[in-house]
Amino acid sequence: MQQRPYNFSAGPAAIPEEVLREAASEMLDWHGSGMGVMEMSHRGKEFISIYERAEADLRELLAVPANYKILFMQGGGLGENAIVPLNLSRAGTVDFVVTGSWSQKSIKEAARYCQPQLAASNAESQHTTLPDPARWKLSAGASYLHICSNETIHGVEFQTLPDLKALGSDTPLVIDCSSHVASRPIDWSRVGLAFAGAQKNLGPAGLTLVIVREDLLGHALKACPSAFDYQTVAEHDSMFNTPPTYGIYIAGLTFQWLKRQREGELAGIAAMEQRNRAKAELLYGYIDSSDFYVNKVSPDCRSRMNVPFFLRDESRNDAFLTGAKARGLLQLKGHKSVGGMRASIYNAMPLAGVQALVAYMREFAQTQA
Amino acid sequence: MQQRPYNFSAGPAAIPEEVLREAASEMLDWHGSGMGVMEMSHRGKEFISIYERAEADLRELLAVPANYKILFMQGGGLGENAIVPLNLSRAGTVDFVVTGSWSQKSIKEAARYCQPQLAASNAESQHTTLPDPARWKLSAGASYLHICSNETIHGVEFQTLPDLKALGSDTPLVIDCSSHVASRPIDWSRVGLAFAGAQKNLGPAGLTLVIVREDLLGHALKACPSAFDYQTVAEHDSMFNTPPTYGIYIAGLTFQWLKRQREGELAGIAAMEQRNRAKAELLYGYIDSSDFYVNKVSPDCRSRMNVPFFLRDESRNDAFLTGAKARGLLQLKGHKSVGGMRASIYNAMPLAGVQALVAYMREFAQTQA
């Protein structure tokens, strides 16, 4: 069989080939039921079994404690920018750490529902560093503190999550982990709520994952639509509304794929973390060794998922992209707000894909010299 | 090839086999792009072409006038129960006609955002009739009037949409047409906004269609999340948020399938209407002729999409369902709130499926006699 191209899209993004093949083979008949998954009632035993396995597999993969609910919702990260404060803010003060485009959008949207306070920002460095948690201005009595733990556009990632308790704060931490969920373990002792659009590391666009500590439920504002009230969604096992059933199915196949992954002794998310580290080190290592390419993010907070880089001579951008596409290296153009290139190397991108990219980058630099 | 079972699910529901086959065949590589549709950036030319064709095909099929926006959103019908008043109510008076479970949910949810008024109800008949529009109590200056034009659970359908102008009212009409959209033409001269979850007649759950007259945009309440502000969504061609790309793709394939349908001289939605009429007449005709089964809805407002019926001897329900499944007639159990049976016979259900159902019903009645 011919090698598929390597797809570096920032999202919607590459899905493991095994997952796509399984989904294609079951499109007209899931496990002898006579129905495709898209055609099943969400209340029927067939879909319930798909849902329950997906929930259990994700809980196991991410070691989600029993006192956290896993919700399968709709609306994406931008939707959650409203849905989180509608559920958690109590119309009070909420702290935000702004580290790039996504957290900027979050603080702006939250102002509809609460009093957002800027606890810290990396705007001075053009979003290429991360502010030290020890210097964050934490508001007393804030309903929660929001961070984007991986900024998809600017390529900065919290290498470890901030420990607010160690800073003397009881404020729950909310993380928008859309673009690195399932790429490494999550320390739940530091997290009150995590949300993620599925379309980067989990499955198709239109499915949104919310994992929330139970004690944070039950405080939604009156303006919160019932379909987006976490308590209501939790009480109905994500089936108050008809859930995005096919997205849950594809995410479930992805969870099964994740459970099968191995790196030496490591399995599942631990294996993914090691592989993702190796992929990122290879790509950043080459960029740093080159005079032709540059990445502007401080090495201590470079994203392992989204690697924005620039050709020092940007007049060669089009030639670079054309050559990449001819070699089966797709969707490398950077986000329009920052320009340049971006290689998103999510879980579904194998090391071989990054090796092929580096080989091409090296060749392109040499031929342009 | 073996005949697929006939799937009478109320939603998520059967999808045309041609659509499923095409989706399966393109799962790993859409049109030589090297990517599956789930893996494409929503900003890339490949997905943009899918989106634009879907929008254009739907506009043609439903004869949507140029001054109406077609929005592809998330959140389903229950989400729209909040999103519509957030966008259109101006926190003022909104009239509701309650004709079954779905319109009941709508009026309840709207109370978060506006002053809902009950213009009419069919509760006295246990939701088996439709109140005469000439007798509706229309509020002066209402922001809009909401109806559910086909009640999925109770099986009542407006055979023609009410003409509020003819009743002397300028109030815009909002229709929740989730469960009969694309089954018959829509008279847009009577409609301000139509919404529909996709999972009955259009495609997979998680995609929500909103068609709205432009002059109704731009009045969202402050509490309306940006991702659900129709004006914002319209300005971004449904890509303010990452849209449910795969759902749009499947809906687009379904629109192409609809355009290929023929009944004699008729094509597209007109052909579907004729076919749906024939399917419904066959099923209701048999039920009415039988002493064994009963449908309780008044003949002048029986749904062509959702046919609830009861065995007069309900002790035989389980045997009926077991025998049906053995003959490849799936998901006939009625909604838990009303009991009995329900045959949902959406666009994807061929006449042959209804013929098979009637043949089985007749046989079952005879063997039980």
Side-chain angles (χ1 to χ4, degrees):
Chain A
M1 189 192 64
Q2 206 189 334
Q3 167 70 51
R4 293 187 84 212
Y6 293 114
N7 177 356
F8 296 91
S9 175
I15 288 178
E17 184 170 338
E18 290 170 45
V19 168
L20 294 175
R21 288 193 181 282
E22 192 166 351
S25 74
E26 298 178 336
M27 182 67 83
L28 281 91
D29 184 9
W30 182 84
H31 294 199
S33 67
M35 299 177 282
V37 174
M38 264 183 253
E39 307 178 293
M40 291 176 183
S41 167
H42 54 301
R43 311 271 181 213
K45 69 176 173 14
E46 295 87 357
F47 184 74
I48 296 283
S49 75
I50 290 171
Y51 162 82
E52 288 180 345
R53 179 163 183 191
E55 204 267 357
D57 282 347
L58 181 64
R59 192 174 286 278
E60 178 185 334
L61 279 164
L62 288 180
V64 179
N67 64 324
Y68 286 67
K69 296 286 189 190
I70 295 178
L71 310 179
F72 294 98
M73 299 185 62
Q74 299 181 49
L78 286 182
E80 287 301 322
N81 281 344
I83 296 166
V84 172
L86 277 163
N87 277 277
L88 264 54
S89 75
R90 308 185 192 202
T93 300
V94 176
D95 284 339
F96 284 82
V97 178
V98 169
T99 53
S101 293
W102 284 94
S103 43
Q104 266 174 339
K105 289 181 188 184
S106 299
I107 189 171
K108 186 176 169 205
E109 181 78 2
R112 297 176 184 277
Y113 311 105
C114 61
Q115 283 77 50
Q117 300 292 333
L118 186 66
S121 165
N122 66 354
E124 267 191 22
S125 72
Q126 283 80 49
H127 308 305
T128 61
T129 59
L130 278 183
D132 178 2
R135 301 190 182 180
W136 293 357
K137 283 172 49 187
L138 303 179
S139 306
S143 297
Y144 62 92
L145 181 142
H146 174 114
I147 66 170
C148 177
S149 47
N150 184 69
E151 289 276 3
T152 321
I153 292 175
H154 289 92
V156 299
E157 179 174 4
F158 282 85
Q159 306 295 308
T160 56
L161 294 177
D163 183 353
L164 298 188
K165 283 196 204 79
L167 297 171
S169 167
D170 284 335
T171 300
L173 178 68
V174 168
I175 63 171
D176 172 1
C177 59
S178 292
S179 51
H180 72 159
V181 62
S183 74
R184 61 181 230 200
I186 293 177
D187 181 350
W188 293 104
S189 74
R190 300 185 178 184
V191 174
L193 182 148
F195 71 83
Q199 68 268 24
K200 294 151 194 311
N201 250 346
L202 302 180
L207 171 65
T208 310
L209 178 70
V210 175
I211 305 178
V212 56
R213 216 173 58 207
E214 287 171 346
D215 62 282
L216 299 176
L217 299 176
H219 304 287
L221 304 181
K222 182 193 164 207
C224 184
S226 304
F228 301 117
D229 181 325
Y230 295 144
Q231 168 109 324
T232 302
V233 176
E235 284 169 356
H236 291 79
D237 292 327
S238 299
M239 296 198 198
F240 173 74
N241 213 346
T242 307
T245 51
Y246 200 73
I248 292 172
Y249 161 71
I250 295 289
L253 293 182
T254 304
F255 301 156
Q256 293 170 34
W257 176 85
L258 282 169
K259 288 177 71 175
R260 293 194 297 270
Q261 300 308 298
R262 295 289 181 277
E263 290 289 334
E265 303 279 298
L266 302 173
I269 299 298
M272 291 315 307
E273 182 179 39
Q274 175 154 312
R275 190 183 302 167
N276 288 325
R277 214 186 272 274
K279 285 151 53 184
E281 283 172 3
L282 174 63
L283 183 49
Y284 286 115
Y286 170 67
I287 291 170
D288 288 346
S289 75
S290 147
D291 295 329
F292 196 84
Y293 306 98
V294 63
N295 168 280
K296 298 175 180 173
V297 178
S298 176
D300 63 344
C301 58
R302 283 173 169 176
S303 170
R304 291 179 209 149
M305 296 283 103
N306 308 101
V307 183
F309 63 91
F310 298 85
L311 279 61
R312 290 189 189 270
D313 177 357
E314 294 218 83
S315 71
R316 302 182 190 187
N317 282 357
D318 287 349
F320 179 85
L321 288 167
T322 303
K325 188 167 181 187
R327 281 159 188 77
L329 305 169
L330 305 182
Q331 306 209 61
L332 282 161
K333 193 173 180 179
H335 191 270
K336 61 186 178 200
S337 66
V338 295
M341 306 297 154
R342 175 172 50 171
S344 292
I345 51 177
Y346 298 122
N347 284 346
M349 177 62 61
L351 180 62
V354 180
Q355 289 168 334
L357 173 60
V358 168
Y360 168 65
M361 289 170 71
R362 195 185 305 272
E363 176 197 325
F364 186 80
Q366 285 166 350
T367 59
Q368 304 285 314
Chain B
M1 190 189 64
Q2 207 190 333
Q3 167 71 49
R4 295 187 83 211
Y6 293 114
N7 177 356
F8 295 91
S9 174
I15 288 179
E17 183 170 339
E18 291 171 45
V19 168
L20 294 175
R21 290 194 181 280
E22 191 166 351
S25 74
E26 298 178 338
M27 181 67 83
L28 281 92
D29 184 10
W30 182 83
H31 294 200
S33 66
M35 300 177 283
V37 175
M38 263 184 254
E39 307 178 292
M40 292 175 182
S41 168
H42 54 301
R43 310 272 181 212
K45 68 175 172 15
E46 295 87 357
F47 184 74
I48 296 285
S49 76
I50 290 171
Y51 162 81
E52 288 180 345
R53 180 163 180 192
E55 202 269 357
D57 281 346
L58 181 64
R59 192 174 286 278
E60 179 185 334
L61 279 165
L62 288 180
V64 179
N67 64 324
Y68 286 67
K69 296 286 189 190
I70 296 178
L71 311 179
F72 295 97
M73 299 184 63
Q74 300 181 49
L78 286 182
E80 287 301 320
N81 281 345
I83 296 168
V84 173
L86 277 163
N87 276 279
L88 262 54
S89 75
R90 307 186 193 202
T93 300
V94 175
D95 284 339
F96 284 81
V97 178
V98 169
T99 53
S101 293
W102 284 95
S103 43
Q104 266 174 339
K105 290 182 187 183
S106 299
I107 189 172
K108 185 175 170 205
E109 181 78 2
R112 297 177 184 277
Y113 312 105
C114 61
Q115 282 78 50
Q117 301 292 333
L118 186 66
S121 165
N122 66 354
E124 267 192 21
S125 73
Q126 284 80 49
H127 309 304
T128 61
T129 60
L130 278 182
D132 178 1
R135 300 187 184 184
W136 293 356
K137 283 173 48 186
L138 302 179
S139 306
S143 297
Y144 62 91
L145 180 141
H146 174 114
I147 66 170
C148 177
S149 46
N150 184 70
E151 290 276 2
T152 321
I153 292 175
H154 289 91
V156 298
E157 178 174 6
F158 282 86
Q159 307 294 309
T160 57
L161 293 176
D163 184 353
L164 299 188
K165 284 196 202 80
L167 298 172
S169 168
D170 284 335
T171 300
L173 178 68
V174 169
I175 63 171
D176 171 0
C177 59
S178 293
S179 51
H180 71 158
V181 61
S183 74
R184 62 182 229 200
I186 294 177
D187 181 348
W188 293 102
S189 74
R190 300 185 178 184
V191 175
L193 181 146
F195 70 84
Q199 67 268 25
K200 292 151 195 308
N201 251 344
L202 302 179
L207 171 65
T208 310
L209 179 70
V210 175
I211 304 178
V212 54
R213 216 173 58 209
E214 286 171 347
D215 63 283
L216 299 176
L217 299 175
H219 304 286
L221 303 181
K222 183 194 163 206
C224 184
S226 303
F228 301 117
D229 180 326
Y230 295 143
Q231 168 111 325
T232 302
V233 175
E235 284 170 354
H236 290 80
D237 292 328
S238 299
M239 297 198 196
F240 173 74
N241 213 345
T242 308
T245 52
Y246 200 73
I248 292 172
Y249 160 72
I250 296 289
L253 294 181
T254 305
F255 302 155
Q256 293 169 35
W257 176 84
L258 282 169
K259 287 177 71 175
R260 292 194 298 270
Q261 300 309 298
R262 295 288 181 279
E263 289 289 335
E265 302 279 298
L266 302 172
I269 300 298
M272 292 315 306
E273 182 180 39
Q274 176 153 313
R275 190 183 302 167
N276 288 326
R277 213 184 272 272
K279 285 151 54 183
E281 283 172 3
L282 174 62
L283 183 50
Y284 287 113
Y286 171 66
I287 291 170
D288 288 346
S289 75
S290 149
D291 294 331
F292 196 85
Y293 306 98
V294 62
N295 168 278
K296 300 176 180 173
V297 178
S298 174
D300 63 344
C301 57
R302 284 174 169 176
S303 170
R304 290 180 210 149
M305 296 282 103
N306 307 100
V307 182
F309 63 92
F310 298 84
L311 279 59
R312 289 189 190 270
D313 177 358
E314 294 218 85
S315 72
R316 303 182 189 186
N317 282 357
D318 287 349
F320 179 86
L321 288 167
T322 303
K325 190 168 181 186
R327 281 158 188 78
L329 305 169
L330 306 182
Q331 307 208 62
L332 282 162
K333 191 172 181 180
H335 190 271
K336 61 185 179 202
S337 66
V338 294
M341 307 295 153
R342 176 172 50 173
S344 292
I345 51 177
Y346 299 123
N347 283 345
M349 176 63 61
L351 180 61
V354 180
Q355 289 168 335
L357 172 61
V358 168
Y360 167 65
M361 289 171 70
R362 195 185 305 270
E363 176 197 326
F364 185 81
Q366 285 166 350
T367 59
Q368 304 285 313

